[in-house]
Amino acid sequence: MKTHNFKAKVLTSILLCGTLFTLMLSCADQANKESETKHDEGFNGKIALDIRDSESDWDAFTPKSAPEGAPNILFVLYDDTGLGAWSPYGGRINMPTMERLAENGLTYTQWHTTALCSPTRSTILTGRNHHLNGMASITETADGYPGSNGRVPDDCAPFAQILRDNGWSTFWIGKNHNVPEQDVAPGGSRSEWPTQIGFDRFYGFLGGETNNWYPDLVEDNHFIEAPATPEEGYHLSKDLADKAISMLRNKNATNPSKPFYMWFNPGANHAPHHSPAEYTAKYKGKFDDGYDAYRDWVVNNMKSKGILPEDTGMADFNPMPENMANPADYVRPWDELNKDEKRLFSRMAEVYAGFSEYTDAQVGRIIDYLEKTGQLENTIVLYAADNGASGEGSPNGSVNENKFFNGYPDSLEENLKYIDVLGGPDTYNHFPTGWAAAFSAPFKMFKRYSQYAGGTNDPLVISWPKGIKAKGEIRHQYHHSTDIVPTLLEACGVEMPEVYNGVKQTPLSGVSMKYSFDADPNAKTQKEVQYYCMLGTRGIWKDGWKAAAVHSPLSGKSGFDEDVWELYHVAEDRSENNNLAEQYPEKLKELIDEWFKQAEINKVLPLDDRSAAEILGTERPSQEVKKDRYVYYPNTAPVPEGVAVNVRGRNYKILANVEIDDTKAEGVIFAHGSRFGGHSLFIKDQKLHYVYNFLGIKPEQVFVSNTKLKPGKYTLGMEFNRVSAGEYGESMGNTKLYINETVVAEGPMKTQPAKFTLSGDGLCVGYDSGDAVSELYQSPGEFEGGTIQGVGVTVEGKPYIDLEAEAKRIMMSQ
């Protein structure tokens, strides 16, 4: 019985093994057959067990090539320039390169923007309205709402990414201002940086503005120092052109058949207005007639060139009702200025003009390179500005606008001391509101005012020798910055995908302008409607009519339901001068209803006209928890002010562990800021120094040790104890300088209420990046003759912050 059972079990096992073996053979055969048919989506080859029996398909893995004959694209986007500034439009600022392109292409007279920097750039980045991009305003004012969070959503794929996927090389040169402030840091998120949103290369600055002599530069995804100094002939505009040409030359050396898209964004014409002296000199005396007279002159010139209809009226310099107007945007009549004010204000316009023309000359170098290399013929060149001229210089302008942003008054007497060096490294200047209104002629207001054309109607010239037959012609069709992406997609033969990276895409907001390239100059525009909304201001254009709500940006007055709406037939009244609201109430209601419809579609609400201080006070998420103690080490990149320790309005200490090896040891231990505001701890002439440079006002606040430093190990530092607030929000208190535990100098000191610089000169250890904080040493002032182990900064208590001054700095540095 046992033998029988044993045999039965063996037989059963053999049968089972045979069955399993058969199944294994069957599965292997089936797998082999399936391997011949199943493959990655898009793969059209054959995969067998043996590569000799397989067929490859390189097309499935080779990057896509651009359509045959696809054009290059060069988009030159200036800042802060109204329609009445440049020579192609009749302005007094000579722009030879732009004129050359206009003579070989088209000049658009009714191309519009959002009235502010980051939002306009976002529309050119994605082809969607700025609220759909989360860019209701500049990135520093982001809120936790769909339309104003400061980050472009996944359903608005960047245009550059689409071009790159389709075979273009992509480059972003110059200004960005589309990265959230907390991400402008070496350790911050790179998700919104250019190289992660479709651009192969980036060279420029991430903030709203920078010092053109000592810029805050980023190359690709890391911070760098400028390659030269002003004494060596450095200026940002030239550097950007150098880099642009270099990138194109390198691309052509390896991939000459590959088209490119280059977005070239100079620091011009944003403040600070920095111009080489020889270019400023070109305009000596050319603005002495003043901004009132210039406005009349340029409008007549614009009419004679066909930019404006002959019957175009002139809007008032100060069109806002007094109860709604922002005093900082008031224009002082030229005839009411004294002799010195006229001299200073004229000089400020000369510098602005020189800055603009110098930068145009650098763009000309890029155009020359394209022509010499045979690329210009098939390059679409767009030359434009992102919003109207800037009124952020206040009615009086400034030679160091950081004073204005700190709520500290400018002095005419002090400003006149800088008149001969205005625009050079010693100044951080901005012209007064009068020039903003003049250069935005013939319209009402200027930058930030989205309901009026002074903030939104900007220059645009398009040249494409191969693709545009018309030469030197003018186009009056009404268009917007959202129309750029659809235009370029059509010209390139590429479509925006409906689904990208698995995300269903929001349809493009704009319409293509390509129909206008060779159309009847008077052909009807193909755009139907465009809403406007910025900082509480709002308007709507539809079929040649425009409704504008009377409201000042950042007014803090709310009451949107009580806004008075104006009505203009802009098809016949280009300057929006004749309010027809009472005459056509039904048309006005139609447009107001349309505004709310567009607001719903584009995620515009809620409206926000809060003061800059209130907006600034909004809590925004950060990956870093605020601390009372910070430690910094040498040999690291400058720490941007937005993420550096904040010593404003509070007690603070700076302590450094330093070992001195040489009696001649000297240099910077700690520095933050620039000549326009900052503080620095350094060794000079064997003595410890601490300088607090209060808004660049001389003399500097200097503390020097009463003993010399010999070789050895030390704890060196300083301590500021805040006592009170001064008249303008500055902190008043006492400072002590320490060597180990011994006080070696002390005295009264004041600290500025807002940030040190507008351009973002970062916190440094062991050197002073860019522009030196103190005149007692030259940048970079590297520490030599010893070792810095580390620097600790301690801040105590809740800071006293003048939010209004802080807010002015942020809102005016767009």
Side-chain angles (χ1 to χ4, degrees), residues 740-754:
N740 294 328
E741 296 180 355
T742 302
V743 176
V744 292
E746 63 179 312
M749 191 179 85
K750 61 182 178 181
T751 67
Q752 59 191 64

PDB file of all heavy atoms in Angstrom, residues 740-754:
ATOM      1  N   ASN A 740      36.673  90.640  20.569  1.00  0.00           N
ATOM      2  CA  ASN A 740      36.362  89.698  21.652  1.00  0.00           C
ATOM      3  C   ASN A 740      35.256  90.320  22.516  1.00  0.00           C
ATOM      4  O   ASN A 740      34.234  90.722  21.968  1.00  0.00           O
ATOM      5  CB  ASN A 740      37.617  89.338  22.450  1.00  0.00           C
ATOM      6  CG  ASN A 740      38.606  88.552  21.590  1.00  0.00           C
ATOM      7  OD1 ASN A 740      38.200  87.794  20.701  1.00  0.00           O
ATOM      8  ND2 ASN A 740      39.894  88.745  21.831  1.00  0.00           N
ATOM      9  N   GLU A 741      35.479  90.495  23.798  1.00  0.00           N
ATOM     10  CA  GLU A 741      34.416  91.045  24.650  1.00  0.00           C
ATOM     11  C   GLU A 741      34.640  92.514  24.975  1.00  0.00           C
ATOM     12  O   GLU A 741      33.916  93.101  25.773  1.00  0.00           O
ATOM     13  CB  GLU A 741      34.329  90.238  25.949  1.00  0.00           C
ATOM     14  CG  GLU A 741      33.919  88.787  25.715  1.00  0.00           C
ATOM     15  CD  GLU A 741      33.831  88.002  27.015  1.00  0.00           C
ATOM     16  OE1 GLU A 741      34.191  88.571  28.072  1.00  0.00           O
ATOM     17  OE2 GLU A 741      33.405  86.840  26.976  1.00  0.00           O
ATOM     18  N   THR A 742      35.647  93.102  24.345  1.00  0.00           N
ATOM     19  CA  THR A 742      35.992  94.484  24.650  1.00  0.00           C
ATOM     20  C   THR A 742      35.360  95.438  23.645  1.00  0.00           C
ATOM     21  O   THR A 742      35.460  95.234  22.421  1.00  0.00           O
ATOM     22  CB  THR A 742      37.523  94.677  24.608  1.00  0.00           C
ATOM     23  OG1 THR A 742      38.132  93.776  25.532  1.00  0.00           O
ATOM     24  CG2 THR A 742      37.896  96.108  24.968  1.00  0.00           C
ATOM     25  N   VAL A 743      34.701  96.475  24.152  1.00  0.00           N
ATOM     26  CA  VAL A 743      34.123  97.508  23.285  1.00  0.00           C
ATOM     27  C   VAL A 743      35.257  98.416  22.832  1.00  0.00           C
ATOM     28  O   VAL A 743      35.957  99.022  23.646  1.00  0.00           O
ATOM     29  CB  VAL A 743      33.053  98.329  24.030  1.00  0.00           C
ATOM     30  CG1 VAL A 743      32.545  99.459  23.142  1.00  0.00           C
ATOM     31  CG2 VAL A 743      31.906  97.432  24.468  1.00  0.00           C
ATOM     32  N   VAL A 744      35.446  98.500  21.525  1.00  0.00           N
ATOM     33  CA  VAL A 744      36.571  99.269  20.989  1.00  0.00           C
ATOM     34  C   VAL A 744      36.112 100.526  20.249  1.00  0.00           C
ATOM     35  O   VAL A 744      36.945 101.308  19.770  1.00  0.00           O
ATOM     36  CB  VAL A 744      37.431  98.399  20.055  1.00  0.00           C
ATOM     37  CG1 VAL A 744      38.144  97.311  20.845  1.00  0.00           C
ATOM     38  CG2 VAL A 744      36.582  97.785  18.929  1.00  0.00           C
ATOM     39  N   ALA A 745      34.800 100.721  20.130  1.00  0.00           N
ATOM     40  CA  ALA A 745      34.234 101.951  19.557  1.00  0.00           C
ATOM     41  C   ALA A 745      32.740 101.915  19.808  1.00  0.00           C
ATOM     42  O   ALA A 745      32.121 100.843  19.880  1.00  0.00           O
ATOM     43  CB  ALA A 745      34.512 102.053  18.064  1.00  0.00           C
ATOM     44  N   GLU A 746      32.137 103.063  19.968  1.00  0.00           N
ATOM     45  CA  GLU A 746      30.680 103.120  20.137  1.00  0.00           C
ATOM     46  C   GLU A 746      30.171 104.513  19.831  1.00  0.00           C
ATOM     47  O   GLU A 746      30.933 105.493  19.789  1.00  0.00           O
ATOM     48  CB  GLU A 746      30.281 102.712  21.550  1.00  0.00           C
ATOM     49  CG  GLU A 746      30.784 103.602  22.666  1.00  0.00           C
ATOM     50  CD  GLU A 746      30.303 103.109  24.030  1.00  0.00           C
ATOM     51  OE1 GLU A 746      29.093 102.827  24.164  1.00  0.00           O
ATOM     52  OE2 GLU A 746      31.140 102.986  24.932  1.00  0.00           O
ATOM     53  N   GLY A 747      28.868 104.610  19.570  1.00  0.00           N
ATOM     54  CA  GLY A 747      28.273 105.895  19.274  1.00  0.00           C
ATOM     55  C   GLY A 747      26.879 105.749  18.695  1.00  0.00           C
ATOM     56  O   GLY A 747      26.397 104.641  18.428  1.00  0.00           O
ATOM     57  N   PRO A 748      26.180 106.865  18.469  1.00  0.00           N
ATOM     58  CA  PRO A 748      24.825 106.833  17.922  1.00  0.00           C
ATOM     59  C   PRO A 748      24.840 106.417  16.452  1.00  0.00           C
ATOM     60  O   PRO A 748      25.814 106.654  15.733  1.00  0.00           O
ATOM     61  CB  PRO A 748      24.344 108.271  18.096  1.00  0.00           C
ATOM     62  CG  PRO A 748      25.595 109.089  18.095  1.00  0.00           C
ATOM     63  CD  PRO A 748      26.639 108.236  18.758  1.00  0.00           C
ATOM     64  N   MET A 749      23.747 105.810  16.031  1.00  0.00           N
ATOM     65  CA  MET A 749      23.634 105.376  14.630  1.00  0.00           C
ATOM     66  C   MET A 749      22.158 105.278  14.251  1.00  0.00           C
ATOM     67  O   MET A 749      21.305 105.059  15.110  1.00  0.00           O
ATOM     68  CB  MET A 749      24.326 104.021  14.433  1.00  0.00           C
ATOM     69  CG  MET A 749      24.504 103.598  12.980  1.00  0.00           C
ATOM     70  SD  MET A 749      25.363 102.010  12.818  1.00  0.00           S
ATOM     71  CE  MET A 749      23.978 100.885  12.990  1.00  0.00           C
ATOM     72  N   LYS A 750      21.882 105.443  12.978  1.00  0.00           N
ATOM     73  CA  LYS A 750      20.519 105.241  12.479  1.00  0.00           C
ATOM     74  C   LYS A 750      20.558 104.240  11.338  1.00  0.00           C
ATOM     75  O   LYS A 750      21.544 104.162  10.581  1.00  0.00           O
ATOM     76  CB  LYS A 750      19.893 106.553  12.023  1.00  0.00           C
ATOM     77  CG  LYS A 750      20.600 107.267  10.891  1.00  0.00           C
ATOM     78  CD  LYS A 750      19.907 108.585  10.562  1.00  0.00           C
ATOM     79  CE  LYS A 750      20.636 109.338   9.449  1.00  0.00           C
ATOM     80  NZ  LYS A 750      19.975 110.642   9.144  1.00  0.00           N
ATOM     81  N   THR A 751      19.499 103.455  11.211  1.00  0.00           N
ATOM     82  CA  THR A 751      19.413 102.461  10.146  1.00  0.00           C
ATOM     83  C   THR A 751      18.178 102.747   9.302  1.00  0.00           C
ATOM     84  O   THR A 751      17.164 103.249   9.800  1.00  0.00           O
ATOM     85  CB  THR A 751      19.334 101.038  10.713  1.00  0.00           C
ATOM     86  OG1 THR A 751      18.106 100.858  11.412  1.00  0.00           O
ATOM     87  CG2 THR A 751      20.498 100.766  11.652  1.00  0.00           C
ATOM     88  N   GLN A 752      18.264 102.395   8.017  1.00  0.00           N
ATOM     89  CA  GLN A 752      17.161 102.739   7.114  1.00  0.00           C
ATOM     90  C   GLN A 752      15.993 101.788   7.287  1.00  0.00           C
ATOM     91  O   GLN A 752      16.160 100.609   7.614  1.00  0.00           O
ATOM     92  CB  GLN A 752      17.657 102.771   5.670  1.00  0.00           C
ATOM     93  CG  GLN A 752      18.252 101.500   5.141  1.00  0.00           C
ATOM     94  CD  GLN A 752      18.939 101.736   3.799  1.00  0.00           C
ATOM     95  OE1 GLN A 752      19.926 102.472   3.712  1.00  0.00           O
ATOM     96  NE2 GLN A 752      18.432 101.105   2.748  1.00  0.00           N
ATOM     97  N   PRO A 753      14.771 102.284   7.062  1.00  0.00           N
ATOM     98  CA  PRO A 753      13.577 101.491   7.346  1.00  0.00           C
ATOM     99  C   PRO A 753      13.268 100.413   6.318  1.00  0.00           C
ATOM    100  O   PRO A 753      12.655  99.402   6.657  1.00  0.00           O
ATOM    101  CB  PRO A 753      12.465 102.537   7.383  1.00  0.00           C
ATOM    102  CG  PRO A 753      12.960 103.648   6.531  1.00  0.00           C
ATOM    103  CD  PRO A 753      14.440 103.679   6.728  1.00  0.00           C
ATOM    104  N   ALA A 754      13.642 100.608   5.068  1.00  0.00           N
ATOM    105  CA  ALA A 754      13.339  99.618   4.034  1.00  0.00           C
ATOM    106  C   ALA A 754      14.614  98.929   3.590  1.00  0.00           C
ATOM    107  O   ALA A 754      15.681  99.124   4.177  1.00  0.00           O
ATOM    108  CB  ALA A 754      12.636 100.291   2.854  1.00  0.00           C
TER     109      ALA A 754
END
